[in-house]
Amino acid sequence: QVQLVESGGGLVQPGGSLRLSCAASGNIFNIYNMGWYRQAPGKQRELVAVVTSGGSTNYADSVKGRFTISRDNAKNTVYLQMNSLKPEDTAVYYCNARIQVLATKITATYWGQGTQVTVSS
């Protein structure tokens, strides 16, 4: 009933930039927090950034000052602008959202399929 679709990953050189997008679609009544997580090979999935419905943001210490999360509530979309990328940012990036479904009014956490970001020269 609800789907999150990510786009914007790819290969970039150290110091470069990428912008990830994640669009939510389906039987949506309300979207609360939206965020980005990442998982590098052999490591646990970790929070990168989160934005509330009101626009408040929170970032992992490792990305503060380099990444910016934002959302367009009219488009049900969350973005992650990543600047000054480092090799250690290489990971699969997953979109995450707390969504209340219109038909049931049940709120649950939904995940995107993931998009690969590779930072390498």
Side-chain angles (χ1 to χ4, degrees):
Q1 286 187 326
V2 173
Q3 190 176 18
L4 298 180
V5 178
E6 299 133 338
S7 60
L11 173 63
V12 64
Q13 292 186 341
S17 298
L18 280 176
R19 188 191 194 209
L20 305 182
S21 300
C22 172
S25 63
N27 195 237
I28 296 171
F29 180 69
N30 205 353
I31 303 179
Y32 301 102
N33 287 7
M34 301 185 82
W36 291 94
Y37 287 71
R38 66 186 181 186
Q39 188 167 18
K43 294 188 177 181
Q44 289 190 332
R45 191 173 296 188
E46 63 175 0
L47 174 67
V48 175
V50 63
V51 57
T52 68
S53 56
S56 297
T57 59
N58 194 30
Y59 296 91
D61 287 343
S62 59
V63 306
K64 282 181 181 177
R66 301 188 297 121
F67 290 10
T68 302
I69 189 171
S70 61
R71 63 190 284 172
D72 184 334
N73 291 329
K75 295 182 178 180
N76 290 341
T77 299
V78 62
Y79 306 96
L80 186 68
Q81 178 66 44
M82 304 185 293
N83 299 328
S84 302
L85 282 160
K86 305 175 180 179
E88 51 263 43
D89 294 317
T90 295
V92 178
Y93 284 69
Y94 296 91
C95 173
N96 164 284
R98 288 283 293 173
I99 296 175
Q100 187 177 25
V101 175
L102 178 63
T104 62
K105 299 301 187 289
I106 293 173
T107 299
T109 298
Y110 293 86
W111 292 89
Q113 80 283 359
T115 185
Q116 177 69 46
V117 172
T118 302
V119 185
S120 175
S121 55

